Amino acid sequence: MTTTEPGATVSYDVVILGNHLATGLLATVLAKQDLRVLLVGSPDDTVLPSGDSTVPYTTAVLHLLAERFDVPEIASFAHFEDLPEQVRRNSGIKKSLAFLHHTAGRGHDPAHAVQFHVPGEHSEWHLYRPVVDEYARELAVSYGASVLPDRASATEVRLASDAVHLTFGGGQTATARFVVDACGADSPLRAVTADGDPGTLTLRSRMMHAYLRDVRKFEECSRLTDYHRATAWSRGTVHHLFDGGWIQVVDFRNHHDAVNDLCSVTVGLDPDRFDDLPAGPEEAFRALVARFPSLAEQFASAAVQGDWTTSPSWQRRAAVTHGPRWFAMERSACRTDEFLSRDVTMTAEVVHALGAALPRAVRDEQAAGAALAEVAAFQDALIEFNDQMLAAARTACGSFALWNAYSRVWLLWQILAHLSLKRATNDAVAAGTWDPVERFADGGLWFRTPDGLRQMLDWFFGVFARVRDGGLGQAEAADMIFRELRRARFVPPLYRFGDPDARYYHFTKARRLLMVAWVMTVAPADFKRLLTKDNVTGRRDDAPVPTPARGPVPAGDGRVETNGDGRADGSAAGAPGVTQPGRR
């Protein structure tokens, strides 16, 4: 049954509150495991801004979801060309990540740009969330999840020792063994979760988001030939940076099959630095871009489609996120800046953990408390990690030199997390257990990564804390980061992450071959293991793949992987013994 009927109380294993990408994915993987699932919408589903793009690491998590829970449709979220036609035509391609740092009162300086190119095998994309969220709901229904007629939302949720009792608009009622809350601030469980101290998050933002039409392509506002080796900005995600904030522009018009004429525009500002802006979001946005001539030109003719979503103090965090029969996830657990694709990625990470924990809880309610507590601690760790990364990003916006350094460590983390999760997935196959991808106590790096990465990130966050506190200058901090990137043995030298002048990331055939030489000779052993499957599994690429105890995972096809800037992830075309699990 996919639509509940009025008049009788229906019992479910799990009721999920909220109707968007996170809940649709969770409902799908639970229904696939034969749980009785009810997916319920909420009034804020279509008005809250959400992540608009993917990065390489996102695709690795999505592939893990698809293969672990045997839902191949989730893998389509990882690659633009695999999307259903309606989703693909309304969404955009992502051929690059561009960071353009602006100074008030001046046109953009071409020397203040960084662009990471995305190779075709990653096929990243821009998510038009109204269509994507609806497709996720339809996918859940196709796997057996139930929904309410007329999309009624929950009006009351009563927690009892033996069950959860729910009442919905329209008079329907239901009971459930567990409820997952992803409604946001207006959830019927708000009194249970309650907001925590805003001081638990370092980053503070005034947020504004809207869909705009008639946004000029930035390459039409500043000559592309002035930017060494840059490709068209509009073909990827553009981040306009300035001291105290950013504007992210995500284009849905940028491919030949596009039917969507909108751009998603998200603004995140330090509320103290920009306390002189008007209260109204449209007026504030216009006043903001007027300070930067190149941005004023890009948005001169832009018109808002619908309404702005805004808050003068956007961050919020729930004080409590789980109990004996309930769990608060995603926007009900925390709300922060939707920047650098963390929203979509964290969604997939938490769905992976809950998708494994909830079936265990349903099978053994005595162990449910511990299972949900473990996922809650993992989610908290992801929130803390994300907050540190975004707080550092906001600090890095203080100067181009500091952002230039920040972006290299961010990309290094993305590349190594992407490769490491694929390696951990292969390890799970070889061992016949999902333990390698369930190291949730390790927090933001919840799988084995090369020695040195975790230590570098801890040091990196400490550097930005010192800059925020005034104990370290921006230029000195940038120099320290570049020196560390040149010094660290696990950082492949051919990435040129330690070179401030290497601001455009392409990966050529010659560099692929040089990368092979580094991997086969002086690369640290735990970096080599990411790229040489036989070193770990002791089997050929075409050997039969054992099935782990909790579900299937592919062995991989040995495809070459490159990172999101067009340079190598460390693998190389045609290199003997250098293989990496890839798409099916």
Side-chain angles (χ1 to χ4, degrees):
M1 178 176 65
T2 60
T3 304
T4 64
E5 301 297 332
T9 297
V10 184
S11 297
Y12 296 93
D13 294 315
V14 181
V15 172
I16 304 174
L17 307 179
N19 184 24
H20 40 82
L21 178 60
T23 57
L25 291 177
L26 181 61
T28 298
V29 301
L30 295 179
K32 181 62 173 67
Q33 297 174 84
D34 297 324
L35 268 64
R36 297 167 299 161
V37 179
L38 175 64
L39 182 59
V40 182
S42 70
D44 284 343
D45 287 339
T46 60
V47 299
L48 290 179
S50 302
D52 290 315
S53 67
T54 63
V55 289
Y57 173 56
T58 317
T59 66
V61 186
L62 290 169
H63 274 296
L64 173 60
L65 278 177
E67 301 298 343
R68 175 170 187 171
F69 300 113
D70 193 22
V71 183
E73 292 88 346
I74 294 179
S76 73
F77 284 108
H79 301 281
F80 181 77
E81 72 273 13
D82 295 337
L83 294 168
E85 181 179 3
Q86 179 68 1
V87 176
R88 186 178 66 253
R89 287 165 64 85
N90 278 280
S91 299
I93 60 173
K94 180 178 179 179
K95 294 297 185 181
S96 67
L97 294 85
F99 303 102
L100 304 167
H101 194 274
H102 297 258
T103 301
R106 303 178 187 173
H108 185 255
D109 182 349
H112 291 175
V114 177
Q115 187 180 54
F116 303 144
H117 291 85
V118 178
E121 58 262 42
H122 278 298
S123 188
E124 295 168 32
W125 59 295
H126 293 160
L127 291 74
Y128 182 55
R129 290 300 291 262
V131 172
V132 171
D133 292 353
E134 181 62 20
Y135 174 68
R137 177 181 185 272
E138 293 170 358
L139 182 62
V141 170
S142 73
Y143 273 86
S146 296
V147 295
L148 293 170
D150 302 321
R151 305 204 175 197
S153 56
T155 57
E156 181 183 9
V157 178
R158 183 166 58 86
L159 301 170
S161 60
D162 59 343
V164 181
H165 302 273
L166 303 101
T167 303
F168 310 104
Q172 298 97 334
T173 60
T175 63
R177 298 171 71 179
F178 299 94
V179 62
V180 175
D181 170 23
C183 287
D186 293 329
S187 165
L189 278 175
R190 177 69 177 273
V192 179
T193 60
D195 282 350
D197 178 3
T200 60
L201 295 175
T202 302
L203 186 67
R204 295 173 56 247
S205 297
R206 176 181 181 179
M207 284 281 293
M208 299 181 287
H209 172 269
Y211 292 113
L212 276 66
R213 56 169 37 94
D214 297 326
V215 176
R216 291 190 67 188
K217 298 176 181 179
F218 193 72
E219 58 264 29
E220 297 173 355
C221 305
S222 186
R223 292 188 310 174
L224 199 61
T225 54
D226 290 341
Y227 296 82
H228 177 60
R229 300 187 69 197
T231 57
W233 311 111
S234 62
R235 298 276 284 174
T237 308
V238 177
H239 307 85
H240 295 299
L241 313 170
F242 41 85
D243 190 9
W246 46 62
I247 300 174
Q248 176 179 279
V249 182
V250 170
D251 204 322
F252 305 119
R253 312 163 298 177
N254 60 3
H255 57 100
H256 68 276
D257 288 331
V259 297
N260 189 343
D261 64 351
L262 300 176
C263 289
S264 174
V265 177
T266 306
V267 183
L269 303 172
D270 182 328
D272 298 325
R273 186 76 58 84
F274 291 93
D275 60 357
D276 58 335
L277 291 176
E282 175 68 16
E283 296 80 5
F285 179 72
R286 295 299 172 186
L288 174 66
V289 299
R291 300 179 181 185
F292 306 98
S294 298
L295 298 185
E297 185 177 355
Q298 181 174 23
F299 294 106
S301 302
V304 175
Q305 172 72 26
D307 298 318
W308 286 91
T309 299
T310 186
S311 173
S313 181
W314 184 254
Q315 273 72 16
R316 60 173 292 272
R317 184 175 184 179
V320 183
T321 58
H322 72 100
R325 293 191 176 273
W326 65 275
F327 190 94
M329 69 173 291
E330 210 245 10
R331 61 191 64 177
S332 288
C334 184
R335 188 172 75 180
T336 188
D337 264 307
E338 317 301 343
F339 189 61
L340 297 175
S341 304
R342 290 303 296 151
D343 174 76
V344 177
T345 304
M346 283 183 61
T347 285
E349 289 175 310
V350 177
V351 167
H352 169 247
L354 271 181
L358 280 169
R360 299 170 193 167
V362 168
R363 291 192 300 267
D364 181 5
E365 290 193 357
Q366 296 298 316
L372 295 181
E374 179 185 36
V375 179
F378 173 54
Q379 180 175 244
D380 284 345
L382 291 177
I383 291 169
E384 296 285 350
F385 183 82
N386 182 58
D387 183 52
Q388 288 181 293
M389 189 64 75
L390 293 187
R394 173 68 55 76
T395 303
C397 286
S399 70
F400 175 72
L402 191 53
W403 179 267
N404 195 20
Y406 171 92
S407 66
R408 313 307 176 88
V409 177
W410 176 83
L411 183 61
L412 175 67
W413 159 61
Q414 280 288 312
I415 292 170
L416 295 185
H418 170 79
L419 285 173
S420 296
L421 182 53
K422 284 193 168 188
R423 174 71 272 165
T425 300
N426 262 10
D427 290 346
V429 172
T433 174
W434 290 108
D435 289 347
V437 292
E438 288 193 342
R439 293 171 52 166
F440 299 137
D442 290 346
L445 299 176
W446 45 279
F447 37 80
R448 181 178 171 184
T449 56
D451 291 341
L453 177 61
R454 186 182 299 272
Q455 294 85 347
M456 175 178 279
L457 288 174
D458 289 342
W459 171 84
F460 177 72
F461 294 145
V463 167
F464 281 94
R466 290 172 60 194
V467 175
R468 282 194 299 274
D469 293 341
L472 186 64
Q474 294 177 349
E476 183 182 0
D479 289 343
M480 289 172 59
I481 293 168
F482 280 118
R483 284 199 303 271
E484 182 65 17
L485 287 168
R486 291 191 294 268
R487 184 199 65 81
R489 290 187 64 247
F490 71 93
V491 180
L494 292 176
Y495 288 169
R496 296 182 65 196
F497 284 158
D499 182 357
D501 295 327
R503 296 183 291 107
Y504 294 92
Y505 281 69
H506 301 268
F507 198 69
T508 63
K509 182 177 180 180
R511 289 193 174 182
R512 289 178 186 265
L513 294 175
L514 289 171
M515 190 66 187
V516 173
W518 181 79
V519 169
M520 302 296 287
T521 56
V522 300
D526 65 339
F527 194 105
K528 290 180 181 180
R529 71 176 294 278
L530 298 181
L531 306 167
T532 310
K533 186 159 48 183
D534 292 343
N535 286 353
V536 178
T537 63
R539 57 185 177 83
R540 303 187 321 276
D541 288 353
D542 57 354
V545 181
T547 301
R550 299 176 192 144
V553 174
D557 57 10
R559 288 172 60 106
V560 172
E561 294 290 337
T562 59
N563 68 39
D565 61 11
R567 299 171 63 85
D569 279 345
S571 55
V578 182
T579 59
Q580 181 62 39
R583 299 170 44 206
R584 296 178 68 175

